[in-house]
Amino acid sequence: KDKILGAKHGEKAVARITDWPEHSKNPFGEVVHVLGKPGVNQVEMQSILVEYDFPLGFPRAVKKEAVNVPTRITDKEIASRRDFRDVFTLTIDPEDAKDYDDAVSLKALKSKNWEIGIHIADVSYYVKEQSLIDKEAFKRGTSVYLVDRVIPMLPEKLSNNVCSLRPGEDKLCFSAVFEMAENGQVLKQWFGKTIINSDRRFNYEEVQKIIEKKAGEYAEEIGL
């Protein structure tokens, strides 16, 4: 009973085999995680995660390392990057998205050309190579989206906060910037590290409405 982690009869639990003697019909094991009563949504969703070998959470050491990740952007770091904080910038994601990892900026030039910027969150500034967070992210490979939740590649402090391009906040990025003519011809290109500050978080439905009906917030500003 000291190996069942307080699990009650009828509850779902995750166990691991600790020993299976050669001439024994049954293995020995211990409960490592109690899921709860069958039929409860949270329990059944976690059962699916276990069945397909998805992690139920982050290891304690990884969470501790994430807590200690600095969130302040130094003046020295800002000075080393191309500054887009005054350029109209937006993100477009599903309505229920929690992390916004890419953004687009738009600027009308005096030459009547357009400057288009594509900005991707600079996760590497916060997640150092071979750190515990880096190794855990490598093991996971990607975030996994289920019906009612996300199994993130990075701890929430990073995926939903520090590395999420939330509106009204200074964020570090890697960017591809193009100068384009009215006909879409690319005239110049630049790639490098930037700092941005998103003006607005859009969802897909809002943007589709602007494109189709040429109406809505920012429609006039972007030339529709």
Side-chain angles (χ1 to χ4, degrees), residues 84-85 87 89 166-171 195-199:
F84 277 80
R85 288 178 292 179
V87 180
T89 304
R166 305 192 299 188
E169 299 179 9
D170 290 352
K171 297 294 179 178
I195 181 169
I196 72 166
N197 191 304
S198 175
D199 292 276

Side-chain angles (χ1 to χ4, degrees), residues 87-106:
V87 180
F88 174 67
T89 304
L90 54 89
T91 60
I92 308 174
D93 294 277
E95 172 63 34
D96 58 353
K98 297 292 190 299
D99 58 322
Y100 323 127
D101 52 14
D102 47 52
V104 178
S105 64
L106 181 69

